[in-house]
Amino acid sequence: MTSYRLSQGGLIDRARPLSFSFDGKPMSGFAGDSLASALLANGQRLMGRSFKYHRPRGVLTAGAAEPNALMTIGKGGRTEPNTRATLQELYDGLTARSQNRWPSLDFDIGALNGLLSPFLSAGFYYKTFMWPAAFWEKLYEPFIRKAAGLGEAAKESDPDSFEKCWAHCDLLVIGAGATGLAAALTAGRAGARVILVDEQAELGGSLLSETATIGGVPAAQFAREATAELEALPNVRTLARTTAFGRYDGNVFGAVERVQKHVATPQVGRPVERLWRIVAGRALLATGAEERPLVFGGNDIPGVMMAGAARSYLNRTAVAPARQMAIFTTNDSGYALARDLEACGVALTAIIDSRPEGAAPGLYKGQARILTDALVRDAHGGKSLSAITIARQGRTETLRLDGLAVSGGFSPVIHLACHRGDKPVWSDAQGAFLAEDRKGLALAGAAAGLSGLAACYEAGARKAVALLDQLGIAATAGSVPTVEGDIVAPATKPLWSIPGIRGKAFIDFQNDVHRADLALAVREGYAHVELAKRYTTNGMATDQGKLSNVNAIGLLAEARGVSPAEVGTTTFRPFYTPVSFGALAGSSHGKHFQPVRQSPLHGWAKKNGARFVETGLWYRSAWFPRTGETTWRESVDREVRTVREAAGLCDVSMLGKIEITGKDAALFLDRVYCNGFANLPVGKARYGLMLREDGFIYDDGTTSRLAEDRFFMTTTTAYAAGVLNHLEFCAQALWPELDVRLASVTDQWAQMAIAGPLARTILQEIVDEDISNEAFPFLGARAVSLFNGALKGRLFRISFSGELAYELAVPAGYGESVADALMEIGKPKGLCAYGVEALSVLRIEKGHVTHNEINGTVVPADLGFGRMVSAKKADFIGKHMLAREGLTAGNRHQLVGVVPLDPAASFRTGAHILAKGAAATLENSLGHVSSSCYSPHVGSTIGLALVRAGSSRHGEEVMIWNGLRGEYTPGRLCDPVFIDPENAKLKI
Amino acid sequence: MSMTLRHHPVLGGKAALRLKDVTLEALPEGHVLQLLAAAPEAGPGLRERIGDSDLRPLAPGQWLLIGNAPLTPEDLTGLEERLKPVADIVDQSHGRVRIALSGPAARAVLAKGTAVNLDAAAFPVGHAAQTLIGHIGAHLARTGEDSFELTVLRGFAESLWDDLAQMAAEFA
Amino acid sequence: MASLIACPHCGRRPKEEFTVKGAALARPEPQAGADAWFDHVYLRDNPRGPYQEFWHHTSGCRRWLVVTRDTATHEVEEARDAALWNRETAR
Ligand SMILES: [Zn+2]
């Protein structure tokens, strides 16, 4: 055992012990521990195996950038793979499992990959797996899957709930360290609406790991007092456990709050994660800086850790990372750790400082041996660090120890500032990439390259004032509290390559990319940063290169003999850290996946035993099975026959309904329909065809004139929303000078079709007015009084089925009651409920078209509507393109009917029509079957088809060919109207 | 023929959902009239004609006139006459359903659905806006410091109710 | 994750509330001739930079807008009511 818990200190609550398990082994920690700190406290430094070589790995950081300590947390549907142990709060009963090892973490067969490493170098995948293609699927991919990879997702569904939320603020502060707290306090005190987010469980950032004092109190206490003040302000919202993961258009930030990821059993009704979309007037990035690893041999052996992380474990959670430590640093920050280690009584063998001049005089007052101008060349050990080799002025020296803390300087965390395509800028002075302030956004503190608590505090307050000033909100920065005991570490020259390395020196820990891989990429011509990334996979793991990218760029720059500025960075994109699919989906799953749109006659349909079918968001009644009927066809055939012989009632409420008023309403309709409407008399309905500007048909429907300046339009169900958008476009963007007003009334009216020879007899019983053929002829449309004046409705004498038919519209709340009454009245006369399946058969028999035929490639003449197109009107949508040669040619696809020669044979929608005797090829296709059904009236399958020059081919024998199923049905083209071509039935 | 006609309120079966910090309530299906003016500037003229009825802006030149009592056809005709020629009426009393949301957590519930900033300064009492609540379009009006009304298409009313109930669940 | 468009009537709203139609072009006069109509229906500029498009605030005020959007940055410079645009620009 090497790492251990100190007997005192830290922010943990020793009065609240927590038990947890790791790979089945029971362990214990305290409230305030992260999973990583608790594991270290239990002496568990081996936390995982690496991706490619299965090398033993321990925790490297104490935060979001952690590449090694990824674990699977939880059980069953709550299993969460790839959880960073550094960010996972410990809770009682937590179960954690290591990943990427088999059969066990301690003994892993995949570690043999390490011996095969000469074959697993950069570009390996490209070189080896390129050919033959079949090998990829059968051999390579399964092999890689087994050998490499991360945790496995659970197969069970997640029992927890997730949600999304919007928030608005004047100032969004991201990061609650010294900089962020100063900014939030400044803005909050000024009365601005502030949101402060931080990914840790407690606000304070690095202050929680700090031994300095601020304003005379320990830094952590200062952070807690500041947090308390902020939480008491009504205009401030603080969000701990919240990672801002992306910056989007309009200064909207995405953030994910882990609401209940730190409890064993989440409270029902509350989400476990909440996805915030924060609309920020201004945003301040106080995201701090990431400490940079150093690239020496064996730099991944458990026991090697970032210096700042070691300091955090030590001060915040009272955990010593090892018993015998050394520090390898390029800057003064390593000395803060040295001081704290000694204060905690942890043995410190040496400080290896790469700088010839070492630290500033007087900075370090401890006992450790200091080696300046020295480098750690190699670390040694298997599952635990045992020694390091130091190179100094041409000589090497080996030190036996079990812990090495590393600091290679700092890379400001600038991701969010670069998410909208902005490029970071290399600063020679800072030895780091920086981002510039831009519209809506500024960076402050360590995120802007600063070091030192006082400087960060001052900058946070100052930048908050400046940002608020842009919004016209006055704020004052106030004075900076006195900071004592802080070690400021000015930027130093970065250290990229260390000479004489023997072992593998890792750059990208998570993807197992080491220095030799990068060198190979350069040798093979992939030195461009974007190419090197893909060739080596550096920076492509789930940590997105947080620790590795800058080192890779530095090493590429060195290899090419240029500045990192010239190498540049790869592109920053959201997400900053992985976001669960649950959070992205929010509540949109199960019952809440999408809304259901319910017809006002839904209850009526249910009572009558309807089977429903989803049509967009609508649930439409498809057919109404009766006792004894065993197939849907039996029910549909019966419904069709009943409509043709007696009467049926069908719910057509989901047709789009639009009320059009205004003194120019008639003129407007004349312009949006290709046929005339201005002359439509009050009290009449007319079938209309709406074209697109390119001349093709957009939608069809009937429009009725209820008064001089009031029309009622119906659209197809599918295009209801689109047609209204289109009409509004015409009214607002094309002809705003017309007085035309549009309102969707789809939901206002329950609409039912009553069709069949007995329709009038049945309807007359509830309609107060005379609806005889004389009083209310075909295409009549009028307001009616129902049930002796009890209700007002609208009646339209229109027919989709080809029978005597009406559509009755009543206020939606009365729909069910009216339909019930009609069923009761009609029952003795044989009235039945019919659904969309029967509706479809009825309309195919009558040769009526739907969007199966109006498929975006047909003009009116193709459907036999050529004469409907007005020649008189000077203008209507589609007029000017409709005259094009290609749209008037005689060999266009035209609507025909099609029947099988053998009535017992059938065919399907989508089948091709071939000339008799022609080979079955797509070149020979004359068109296709657009709709088909079994017709009880004809006694066989019938179809509508769009066939080249079809209107002149009635009677021609063809082959109906379904290439997908290999079906060939000899058939005959015919008139598309299979029933009552004289329309006699409509006018009785 | 004469028979008893029954009105089926679409949320008739929903008892009010009273949680600790928020209450969800289906309002009576009274009247919702969509007023359409030729020009957006017609607003002031409208007021003179309808008195202090509950008039909520819907869009430029459009308002919703809302009340708990159903209107008779005669009421409607009378109103139509009074509004001429400033605005036309389209009766939406059956096409729109109202849900009230109130309590200290009402804003937090709505923020899960809409991007409209509900801060009192940006969306004061009396303000209204058509917006999306999750996937469902609704007209949102602030009727008090902590109370809101949603007016939604009848066909979506049940789905919106279910969504709101889920959004409110954490405030039990 | 989000894009906001400042509707002149409703304020800033997320793009999910809108429907985009494409280039904001004035409709030719009926007698403009075949070439002008062909241009209008089929030919589009594809600039890198500011571009005027029709957007419909479908889930809000249901007004059509002319939105000036930078195709490279998605920055929305202006959004005005299409009726206003029509009166002032399109003719
Ligand atoms: Zn709008």
Side-chain angles (χ1 to χ4, degrees):
Chain A
M1 254 196 351
T2 45
S3 55
Y4 59 99
R5 178 86 70 191
L6 301 170
S7 58
Q8 57 179 18
L11 303 179
I12 48 170
D13 185 352
R14 290 176 198 257
R16 286 175 56 207
L18 305 171
S19 22
F20 70 104
S21 75
F22 177 67
D23 281 344
K25 229 183 322 176
M27 296 185 177
S28 74
F30 294 113
D33 261 326
S34 67
L35 175 56
S37 71
L39 285 168
L40 288 176
N42 283 270
Q44 183 70 44
R45 295 210 304 187
L46 176 57
M47 296 195 193
R49 290 271 173 177
S50 74
F51 184 75
K52 200 155 85 177
Y53 304 123
H54 289 229
R55 284 170 70 101
R57 290 279 168 83
V59 68
L60 192 66
T61 72
E66 179 56 34
N68 292 340
L70 306 183
M71 297 174 187
T72 300
I73 309 292
K75 290 181 249 181
R78 291 204 169 98
T79 302
E80 182 122 345
N82 309 334
T83 304
R84 287 154 297 171
T86 47
L87 283 191
Q88 176 62 50
E89 283 169 69
L90 194 68
Y91 56 80
D92 205 45
L94 183 150
T95 60
R97 277 167 292 145
S98 59
Q99 300 178 163
N100 204 24
R101 80 290 191 265
W102 184 78
S104 76
L105 183 58
D106 264 320
F107 175 73
D108 179 83
I109 286 176
L112 289 172
N113 283 3
L115 302 177
L116 297 173
S117 67
F119 306 101
L120 291 172
S121 60
F124 163 70
Y125 299 106
Y126 300 106
K127 289 173 188 163
T128 316
F129 296 153
M130 262 168 49
W131 183 91
F135 276 32
W136 176 257
E137 202 180 311
K138 300 209 167 65
L139 198 65
Y140 301 141
E141 217 224 331
F143 167 76
I144 295 172
R145 285 250 171 263
K146 186 127 189 79
L150 294 166
E152 277 183 36
K155 303 273 193 300
E156 301 92 327
S157 75
D158 194 324
D160 296 327
S161 62
F162 297 80
E163 70 179 26
K164 296 188 196 179
C165 201
W166 286 91
H168 305 259
C169 62
D170 300 315
L171 181 67
L172 169 66
V173 181
I174 300 167
T179 313
L181 285 175
L185 284 169
T186 303
R189 287 168 184 164
R193 293 173 311 153
V194 178
I195 295 177
L196 172 63
V197 306
D198 191 280
E199 65 189 356
Q200 297 273 342
E202 189 178 350
L203 303 187
S206 70
L207 297 182
L208 303 175
S209 306
E210 189 50 68
T211 48
T213 63
I214 304 178
V217 299
Q221 189 186 332
F222 178 84
R224 285 177 175 178
E225 285 168 9
T227 304
E229 180 182 342
L230 289 169
E231 281 169 355
L233 289 171
N235 50 319
V236 176
R237 187 202 294 267
T238 61
L239 292 170
R241 303 187 175 99
T242 303
T243 306
F245 58 72
R247 178 178 183 238
Y248 301 92
D249 299 347
N251 226 26
V252 179
F253 290 77
V256 65
E257 180 186 4
R258 291 168 290 278
V259 182
Q260 298 194 85
K261 282 289 180 187
H262 59 292
V263 296
T265 313
Q267 182 193 324
V268 176
R270 285 186 80 203
V272 290
E273 286 184 355
R274 185 179 284 140
L275 189 103
W276 289 91
R277 283 164 291 185
I278 303 172
V279 184
R282 293 291 182 271
L284 184 71
L285 260 57
T287 40
E290 203 68 69
E291 200 164 36
R292 210 176 285 161
L294 289 166
V295 187
F296 53 88
N299 60 347
D300 65 328
I301 296 170
V304 179
M305 186 185 280
M306 302 312 305
R311 204 163 168 238
S312 173
Y313 289 119
L314 193 70
N315 295 334
R316 185 172 173 185
T317 52
V319 170
R323 294 192 183 272
Q324 188 73 48
M325 297 278 298
I327 297 167
F328 178 23
T329 188
T330 63
N331 61 84
D332 287 351
S333 75
Y335 293 87
L337 173 63
R339 180 194 62 190
D340 295 351
L341 283 171
E342 288 173 315
C344 291
V346 180
L348 179 62
T349 309
I351 302 173
I352 300 103
D353 193 325
S354 65
R355 299 170 294 183
E357 72 282 8
L363 182 80
Y364 177 65
K365 302 182 186 73
Q367 304 300 311
R369 188 179 154 209
I370 294 179
L371 295 106
T372 54
D373 201 10
L375 301 172
V376 173
R377 199 199 67 196
D378 278 292
H380 310 282
K383 283 175 244 170
S384 189
L385 181 68
S386 57
I388 58 172
T389 300
I390 297 164
R392 189 181 186 223
Q393 292 152 4
R395 284 200 300 275
T396 60
E397 178 184 349
T398 298
L399 299 179
R400 300 206 66 81
L401 38 71
D402 65 351
L404 176 66
V406 176
S407 179
F410 293 86
S411 305
V413 178
I414 55 175
H415 299 61
L416 294 171
C418 301
H419 275 176
R420 295 188 64 212
D422 299 311
K423 288 284 179 194
V425 182
W426 176 258
S427 158
D428 269 326
Q430 293 288 337
F433 284 99
L434 300 179
E436 287 163 352
D437 290 358
R438 51 198 77 251
K439 194 178 155 198
L441 175 103
L443 301 98
L450 290 184
S451 175
L453 296 174
C456 286
Y457 189 97
E458 188 276 332
R462 178 167 41 83
K463 289 261 181 163
V465 171
L467 289 172
L468 291 177
D469 183 59
Q470 294 168 13
L471 300 176
I473 300 171
T476 44
S479 59
V480 181
T482 314
V483 175
E484 277 171 30
D486 183 27
I487 288 184
V488 179
T492 56
K493 193 170 168 299
L495 171 60
W496 304 126
S497 65
I498 294 171
I501 289 169
R502 299 279 160 81
K504 278 197 176 66
F506 284 89
I507 304 165
D508 185 330
F509 294 85
Q510 204 184 120
N511 258 359
D512 266 358
V513 179
H514 55 100
R515 217 178 91 181
D517 291 328
L518 210 60
L520 184 69
V522 173
R523 279 206 305 282
E524 298 195 340
Y526 299 97
H528 186 281
V529 65
E530 295 284 4
L531 295 177
K533 169 178 174 172
R534 275 129 193 116
Y535 198 67
T536 62
T537 73
N538 190 87
M540 291 171 72
T542 63
D543 64 357
Q544 291 285 292
K546 286 185 180 55
L547 297 179
S548 63
N549 279 351
V550 179
N551 275 338
I553 291 163
L555 286 163
L556 282 174
E558 228 170 52
R560 286 164 52 185
V562 298
S563 150
E566 214 164 306
V567 174
T569 60
T570 52
T571 310
F572 288 87
R573 292 188 183 88
F575 303 95
Y576 171 65
T577 49
V579 176
S580 69
F581 282 113
L584 293 173
S587 56
S588 302
H589 64 92
K591 178 180 170 187
H592 301 274
F593 173 64
Q594 61 178 16
V596 170
R597 197 167 182 188
Q598 230 166 55
S599 159
L601 297 180
H602 190 83
W604 163 82
K606 244 167 126 172
K607 272 187 290 201
N608 285 275
R611 294 284 193 284
F612 290 96
V613 60
E614 286 180 47
T615 310
L617 298 176
W618 288 103
Y619 274 55
R620 296 188 74 169
S621 31
W623 66 89
F624 295 81
R626 285 188 178 169
T627 322
E629 290 171 351
T630 52
T631 66
W632 68 273
R633 259 282 307 282
E634 268 182 77
S635 308
V636 173
D637 288 356
R638 189 237 329 131
E639 288 171 20
V640 170
R641 276 194 210 98
T642 309
V643 172
R644 296 258 180 249
E645 289 158 16
L649 193 160
C650 181
D651 180 8
V652 292
S653 303
M654 46 292 288
L655 290 177
K657 309 182 205 75
I658 301 167
E659 199 119 325
I660 302 163
T661 73
K663 70 175 168 36
D664 297 319
L667 175 59
F668 177 76
L669 287 171
D670 242 14
R671 291 194 191 173
V672 296
Y673 276 130
C674 72
N675 49 327
F677 271 81
N679 61 356
L680 180 68
V682 172
K684 280 289 183 187
R686 181 171 290 171
Y687 177 70
L689 274 182
M690 219 176 260
L691 308 189
R692 311 188 309 209
E693 200 71 278
D694 62 6
F696 295 99
I697 305 178
Y698 178 52
D699 199 44
D700 68 345
T702 58
T703 291
S704 306
R705 193 166 201 165
L706 302 174
E708 200 52 42
D709 57 357
R710 188 173 286 246
F711 292 81
F712 176 76
M713 176 188 282
T714 62
T715 75
T716 61
T717 302
Y719 280 50
V723 168
L724 183 60
N725 291 2
H726 170 66
L727 296 183
E728 287 170 334
F729 177 76
C730 294
Q732 297 168 19
L734 300 186
W735 309 305
E737 67 279 7
L738 299 186
D739 174 13
V740 53
R741 315 168 198 184
L742 302 154
S744 165
V745 289
T746 304
D747 287 57
Q748 166 69 12
W749 300 98
Q751 196 148 321
M752 47 205 104
I754 301 103
L758 300 179
R760 181 184 297 127
T761 322
I762 295 165
L763 258 180
Q764 187 68 77
E765 298 222 19
I766 69 161
V767 178
D768 301 339
E769 290 83 358
D770 178 7
I771 56 167
S772 65
N773 193 39
E774 296 70 38
F776 192 61
F778 183 55
L779 295 178
R782 61 167 299 173
V784 288
S785 161
L786 305 167
F787 302 101
N788 295 322
L791 191 65
K792 289 262 186 281
R794 290 172 176 177
L795 191 64
F796 309 92
R797 188 167 163 195
I798 50 181
S799 175
F800 199 40
S801 57
E803 297 297 325
L804 168 67
Y806 300 83
E807 284 186 16
L808 174 66
V810 298
Y814 290 104
E816 187 171 338
S817 196
V818 172
D820 286 348
L822 284 170
M823 291 303 284
E824 206 182 306
I825 295 160
K827 204 173 250 169
K829 302 181 173 69
L831 177 79
C832 80
Y834 68 102
V836 283
E837 289 296 339
L839 187 77
S840 175
V841 173
L842 291 161
R843 72 96 189 164
I844 295 172
E845 287 182 339
K846 183 64 183 174
H848 280 157
V849 295
T850 65
H851 279 289
N852 281 20
E853 287 73 35
I854 304 176
N855 60 9
T857 71
V858 299
V859 295
D862 299 340
L863 301 182
F865 295 138
R867 276 181 306 154
M868 268 177 73
V869 180
S870 167
K872 281 186 285 182
K873 292 194 285 184
D875 191 14
F876 58 82
I877 299 277
K879 177 182 171 83
H880 312 287
M881 299 300 274
L882 189 57
R884 283 180 292 167
E885 202 178 336
L887 300 190
T888 50
N891 66 341
R892 288 184 56 76
H893 289 79
Q894 293 159 344
L895 184 73
V896 291
V898 56
V899 290
L901 294 184
D902 173 7
S906 71
F907 54 83
R908 295 167 202 268
T909 303
H912 286 274
I913 304 291
L914 301 170
K916 193 178 176 185
T921 64
L922 286 179
E923 290 72 27
N924 285 340
S925 172
L926 296 174
H928 75 280
V929 178
S930 53
S931 300
S932 66
C933 67
Y934 175 78
S935 164
H937 173 75
V938 177
S940 77
T941 295
I942 59 169
L944 298 178
L946 291 164
V947 174
R948 199 164 281 285
S951 55
S952 56
R953 300 178 100 126
H954 295 181
E956 185 175 325
E957 281 191 20
V958 294
M959 180 61 77
I960 308 164
W961 167 50
N962 184 327
L964 287 175
R965 294 173 180 264
E967 291 169 357
Y968 295 81
T969 313
R972 184 185 299 112
L973 302 183
C974 58
D975 190 278
V977 183
F978 294 90
I979 192 164
D980 187 26
E982 302 77 30
N983 289 334
K985 283 166 163 252
L986 299 177
K987 292 167 184 165
I988 50 172
Chain B
M1 124 144 219
S2 81
M3 61 173 296
T4 332
L5 274 178
R6 256 191 68 215
H7 180 248
H8 289 262
V10 66
L11 296 176
K14 307 277 186 197
L17 183 68
R18 295 180 202 285
L19 305 174
K20 191 169 137 289
D21 287 328
V22 66
T23 294
L24 198 59
E25 220 172 337
L27 293 171
E29 289 188 15
H31 63 272
V32 178
L33 307 180
Q34 186 173 355
L35 272 45
L36 306 156
E41 311 78 64
L46 274 183
R47 265 283 165 232
E48 287 164 25
R49 289 172 154 82
I50 56 156
D52 58 356
S53 312
D54 189 350
L55 191 65
R56 303 178 187 173
L58 175 65
Q62 295 192 31
W63 295 263
L64 291 179
L65 185 69
I66 284 176
N68 282 341
L71 294 183
T72 63
E74 293 72 35
D75 293 338
L76 195 59
T77 317
L79 203 55
E80 267 171 348
E81 288 307 317
R82 246 186 298 154
L83 284 177
K84 263 180 191 155
V86 180
D88 292 336
I89 294 179
V90 172
D91 186 8
Q92 302 280 17
S93 304
H94 290 253
R96 303 288 189 278
V97 174
R98 291 182 300 139
I99 298 172
L101 190 67
S102 57
R107 261 179 64 188
V109 171
L110 288 168
K112 298 179 187 187
T114 178
V116 172
N117 182 2
L118 299 176
D119 197 273
F123 200 82
V125 177
H127 234 60
Q130 181 73 29
T131 182
L132 274 181
I133 306 287
H135 298 296
I136 302 175
H139 186 256
L140 173 66
R142 189 173 208 145
T143 51
E145 196 49 51
D146 277 339
S147 51
F148 296 86
E149 263 186 46
L150 291 160
T151 306
V152 63
L153 288 181
R154 177 184 205 88
F156 286 126
E158 264 195 83
S159 279
L160 181 62
W161 176 276
D162 290 344
D163 285 356
L164 289 169
Q166 166 164 300
M167 285 148 66
E170 73 168 308
F171 301 104
Chain C
M1 193 60 50
S3 280
L4 301 177
I5 292 163
C7 173
H9 310 297
C10 308
R12 296 212 296 172
R13 299 291 187 88
K15 66 174 185 305
E16 289 75 11
E17 291 194 355
F18 296 82
T19 311
V20 63
K21 187 180 170 74
L25 302 172
R27 189 169 183 265
E29 291 299 317
Q31 318 75 16
D35 288 352
W37 276 100
F38 183 84
D39 271 16
H40 176 70
V41 171
Y42 292 112
L43 298 185
R44 294 293 179 270
D45 293 335
N46 184 18
R48 180 186 170 88
Y51 196 44
Q52 288 200 325
E53 294 167 327
F54 284 126
W55 287 70
H56 183 232
H57 195 183
T58 314
S59 298
C61 61
R62 297 198 63 86
R63 294 295 299 181
W64 279 92
L65 312 174
V66 172
V67 171
T68 309
R69 185 180 66 91
D70 191 303
T71 57
T73 64
H74 289 181
E75 203 75 52
V76 173
E77 287 168 25
E78 193 194 21
R80 50 204 304 241
D81 194 281
L84 207 69
W85 166 85
N86 178 290
R87 288 193 194 107
E88 290 176 8
T89 318
R91 38 201 66 195

